[in-house]
Amino acid sequence: MTHPYTGKLAVLYENHGDPLPFVHLAEQLAVPLRNSADIGFDQHEAFFLSWREGMLKLLDHELLKKGGMAVDIEPRQGEQRSWPAPKDGALAKALGRKTKTVVDATTGWGQDSLHIFRMGYELLCIERSPLMAALLADGFKRLAQADWMQRLQLQPPTLLAGNAIELLASLPEPPDCIYLDPMFPPKRKKSALAKKSMMVLRDLLGDDEDKDALFAAALEATGKRVVVKCPDYAPPLGGGKPSDSFHGKLLRYDVFLK
Ligand SMILES: C[S@@+](CC[C@H](N)C(=O)[O-])C[C@H]1O[C@@H](n2cnc3c(N)ncnc32)[C@H](O)[C@@H]1O
């Protein structure tokens, strides 16, 4: 199987620690393994995956020197640190007052998922990019080890790697809500407001052109509702009229009831 990032991504062994996890990750993703000690290692790919500071990180050429992008498991700024955090804000309103079970069918960097998880919903995550699934698996492993998770005896969300269009059709129970945040084409070529991690996702994976099929699969599989996060300039997914819309900063959560 070829992935959209073939030729763009390698696993990078930075010459310390056990090389075996790096070998396995390169095999799993079917991408080359490079060694930072080799001259010219950075001539081939634009992106690298490496473990730094105990986290799996995605690096571009700028980040090779320092840093990297990992799944951030810390609460967002302003979010209450107790668990469960209060169910307030536009996202919680869109998920619905009576909702208990949520499937995030487009998990990406897991930021919405982790917010949903911290508000106490029962959550299943789906991600089709093997690269993002590897970053998420690492993030959820770190989450499982967090003090507060262990104290409260909580398990991180389950992660399914694969295409949600297929996976949603075989859920054992219809969830109360299926949450979708597919990649929409940007309004401008380079938005100054887009976070670097999201721009990288677009570079590596491109737009999600099958979002209408995903929306149809979600409506079919949900028990009660589908929530779609979209930029405020985009028309509602599926061409229909949402039952309700909740507005955030430059974005909208459209609610479609079954
Ligand atoms: C815009 S990102 C989601 C960002 C995410 N909400 C967050 O908070 O980090 C879209 C993600 O959905 C994934 N995706 C799109 N269509 C999918 C599908 N049919 N099945 C599974 N994952 C999908 C893409 O691979 C990408 O990682």
Side-chain angles (χ1 to χ4, degrees), residues 94-200:
L95 295 178
R97 238 171 357 104
K98 293 191 183 147
T99 291
K100 289 195 169 61
T101 52
V102 179
V103 174
D104 182 349
T106 57
T107 307
W109 285 101
Q111 294 312 286
D112 293 330
S113 263
L114 288 165
H115 187 199
I116 292 168
F117 176 74
R118 286 189 296 260
M119 289 191 284
Y121 296 95
E122 201 182 300
L123 177 67
L124 170 73
C125 295
I126 304 178
E127 173 54 52
R128 73 168 154 198
S129 152
L131 157 69
M132 295 316 297
L135 287 159
L136 284 164
D138 175 78
F140 288 1
K141 201 162 133 197
R142 283 183 277 117
L143 180 68
Q145 289 154 1
D147 284 350
W148 66 272
M149 287 283 291
Q150 300 212 339
R151 200 169 0 95
L152 295 164
Q153 300 187 324
L154 295 172
Q155 298 296 322
T158 304
L159 173 66
L160 298 181
N163 192 336
I165 297 173
E166 287 138 34
L167 293 173
L168 287 175
S170 52
L171 294 175
E173 290 276 326
D176 296 330
C177 175
I178 297 181
Y179 178 73
L180 306 178
D181 174 21
M183 218 116 50
F184 285 82
K187 200 171 175 187
R188 280 168 236 98
K189 258 211 145 42
K190 280 256 183 247
S191 160
L193 292 164
K195 271 178 81 177
K196 176 163 181 153
S197 53
M198 286 300 166
M199 279 169 18
V200 165

Side-chain angles (χ1 to χ4, degrees), residues 13 88 166:
Y13 180 62
D88 52 21
E166 287 138 34

